[in-house]
Amino acid sequence: MKKTLSLITVALSVFCLSTPACAKETVVETGKHLKVSDELTLYYETTGNGDIPIVFVPGWTMSSAVFERQREHFSDSDRFRYYSYDPRGQGRSSKTGEGYTYDQHGRDLHAFLEQLGLRDTVLVGWSFGVLKVTSYLDQFGSDSMRALVLIDGTPKTVGKDSTKDWAWVGDDNWLSNNQSYTTELLTDKREENMKEFCEWMLEKPTSAEIKWSLDISLQTPGGIAALTNATANSADYEAALKAMDPEVPLLFVMGEEHWHPVVDQWIAANKPKAKSVAMGKHLMFWQRSKEFNAELDKFLDTVE
């Protein structure tokens, strides 16, 4: 038995010495849980060797798993320490009975940062994760924010005209196209309807890619998915984003087919120092990870 273990140890050592990823010691941690209150424990992942925390916040029904290619990208970073977490009710975090407003999601993010002692943080929000980070901004300000990255989402859900306003839907199609589809249908034929959502997120999706994203989404119970969609419809943190300290670096990464012309107009009117990039579809950071990570690195190079 000892001889077998010795051979395994030697084999692993040889493999590591011959593998570039092992040439430099990195810090990789998975499967961690953080109790932020009596009712809520958040699952999170962290890696990297840097002093600057960069925190990725997923969107509706999704988990930290969607950022696996960013986690890998930052695993050997000497500058950044990567974090991502599963929001309340999603992934491997607590499925609490209450707390599914976006004001509370902002407070959950604040509690997460406070419990881990994270300061001067780069916050990255994707999809409805944009509501979560702008809710945090609305309630706690930008004093502890080193930079902000918003990925294919908005700080408000309902606008006057969805073709001209930076919002998910306009008043004209709010009830028929959003509320009924993503709330009521989640309790009837849920897997079928969530599969459509996953197909929409992906660019030329394969069956394996659809299954991967669907498996993640289905970790959120249907009732919680319905509730977090319904409460999103009244969320509006646009004023907080407009009022954010103009010296905080800001990057927008938008899908090519969605808002990007509208967002560019919004940036010109409200945050002229911000950077804007358009690529792929909603899950571009996963499907086009090399392109996305390169643009993110370029932006982070400008962050002091």
Side-chain angles (χ1 to χ4, degrees), residues 2 20 25 37 59 62 64 84 89 149 153 156 176 183 188 235 260 278:
K2 289 182 179 179
E25 183 180 357
S37 71
M62 305 304 284
S64 55
S84 61
V149 181
K156 67 179 180 182
S176 60
T183 300
D188 184 26
H260 106 87

Side-chain angles (χ1 to χ4, degrees), residues 157-158 174 229-237:
T157 302
V158 180
W174 169 76
N229 177 71
T231 56
N233 290 319
S234 59
D236 184 349
Y237 307 108

Side-chain angles (χ1 to χ4, degrees), residues 27 41 63-64 138 156 209 239 282:
V27 179
T41 298
S63 77
S64 55
D138 179 59
K156 67 179 180 182
E209 289 173 331
H282 200 50

Side-chain angles (χ1 to χ4, degrees), residues 68 118 165 186-187 194 197 206 240 285 297:
E68 61 182 11
L118 304 184
D165 200 8
L186 287 172
T187 58
M194 290 307 297
F197 169 69
T206 65
F285 57 89
D297 284 345

Side-chain angles (χ1 to χ4, degrees), residues 40 69 88 102 123 125 135 143 174 204 240 254 295 298:
L40 179 63
R69 292 173 180 173
R88 174 188 298 259
Y102 285 83
L123 289 183
S135 167
D143 288 349
W174 169 76
K204 298 179 180 178
M254 297 291 159
E295 291 291 347
K298 188 187 303 183

Side-chain angles (χ1 to χ4, degrees), residues 20 95 148 173-174 201 216 264 287 301:
K95 310 301 188 287
L148 179 61
N173 62 7
W174 169 76
M201 289 196 295
I216 295 172
D264 284 346
Q287 285 192 296
D301 285 343

